Amino acid sequence: MARNEDGGEGGSGGENAAVPRLSSSGRLSSRPDPFLVVCRCFSFVTAVTALLCVAVNILSAVRSFKDGSDIFDGIFRCYAVVIAFVVILAETEWGFIFKFWKVLEYWAGRGMLQIFVAVMTRAFPNHRNPTELILLQNIASYILIGCGAVYLVSGILCIGLLKRVRQQRELTREQTREQAAKDLEDLERRREELEQLLMAERV
């Protein structure tokens, strides 16, 4: 009787014992790298400014071809549009672009290209254009020159290399976190299977 009572108490204690559960909610939440966040914001500003250069150069080219006042200025603006698009694609850090233009992977080269586009946007102003268009040309060119200067100085100081190292570190951390989450889900699934087997044996 004592053994049965002990066994019963042990069995009930085993059934009522709290089984520790693994949960993915306990995973460590990682904060984004502030340096990379600043770099992404700056890239966004640069891309938007380059897009503004594309717009004003297209408008200037259309007016030059339409009025027939200066065909060469229109052709010049078309080249500026193409190079400005290259600047925008470089800011997306698309691997396909870096494959053909390796120099754009380095901040110094990217900054010189941005300054070149800004100079092309500002060069040979057509005073027949509306005042608003000339004002947009000035704004876009000066902002892009500023962005290019920041890229150029940062490239000389090897800030671009620091960004690439931090990006690689963040990618490695993210892969490790995903692998840990996958392992945790596997452990949770195996725990549930073991619980079902124990319940089946008790029945």
Side-chain angles (χ1 to χ4, degrees):
M1 292 293 292
R3 283 181 297 181
N4 292 336
E5 289 177 357
D6 293 341
E9 290 176 0
S12 62
E15 291 177 358
N16 296 330
V19 179
R21 290 179 174 272
L22 300 174
S23 175
S24 60
S25 60
R27 284 179 285 173
L28 295 175
S29 58
S30 62
R31 295 182 179 180
D33 192 338
F35 177 75
L36 294 179
V37 172
V38 172
C39 290
R40 293 187 185 104
C41 293
F42 186 72
S43 294
F44 177 76
V45 172
T46 304
V48 171
T49 306
L51 187 61
L52 181 59
C53 289
V54 169
V56 296
N57 280 301
I58 288 176
L59 291 175
S60 297
V62 169
R63 291 185 64 88
S64 297
F65 288 129
K66 185 177 180 181
D67 299 338
S69 57
D70 194 351
I71 303 298
F72 293 102
D73 180 72
I75 297 173
F76 183 79
R77 298 298 170 188
C78 291
Y79 277 104
V81 168
V82 173
I83 301 175
F85 269 120
V86 174
V87 170
I88 295 172
L89 292 176
E91 290 305 311
T92 63
E93 296 189 348
W94 187 21
F96 181 79
I97 296 298
F98 294 154
K99 182 179 179 181
F100 291 96
W101 288 287
K102 190 70 176 177
V103 68
L104 295 179
E105 188 175 358
Y106 301 98
W107 280 20
R110 201 181 300 183
M112 287 188 288
L113 183 64
Q114 292 168 8
I115 293 173
F116 182 65
V117 172
V119 171
M120 292 183 71
T121 303
R122 184 66 180 83
F124 309 119
N126 189 353
H127 297 288
R128 299 178 185 177
N129 291 334
T131 306
E132 294 80 6
L133 182 57
I134 296 176
L135 180 62
L136 286 176
Q137 284 180 340
N138 293 334
I139 292 173
S141 59
Y142 285 125
I143 295 178
L144 194 59
I145 283 177
C147 294
V150 171
Y151 265 115
L152 184 59
V153 174
S154 300
I156 294 174
L157 297 177
C158 298
I159 304 298
L161 178 62
L162 176 62
K163 178 189 175 184
R164 289 192 292 272
V165 171
R166 284 176 174 260
Q167 280 180 330
Q168 185 63 35
R169 187 183 304 168
E170 186 181 46
L171 180 61
T172 303
R173 190 184 301 118
E174 185 65 26
Q175 291 175 348
T176 304
R177 192 180 302 111
E178 291 177 357
Q179 184 63 37
K182 184 178 179 181
D183 294 341
L184 189 61
E185 291 175 358
D186 292 339
L187 288 174
E188 181 69 18
R189 185 167 53 252
R190 293 194 63 182
R191 186 193 63 81
E192 292 176 356
E193 292 175 356
L194 289 174
E195 283 184 350
Q196 292 176 0
L197 290 174
L198 288 174
M199 292 296 294
E201 289 179 358
R202 287 171 185 171
V203 173

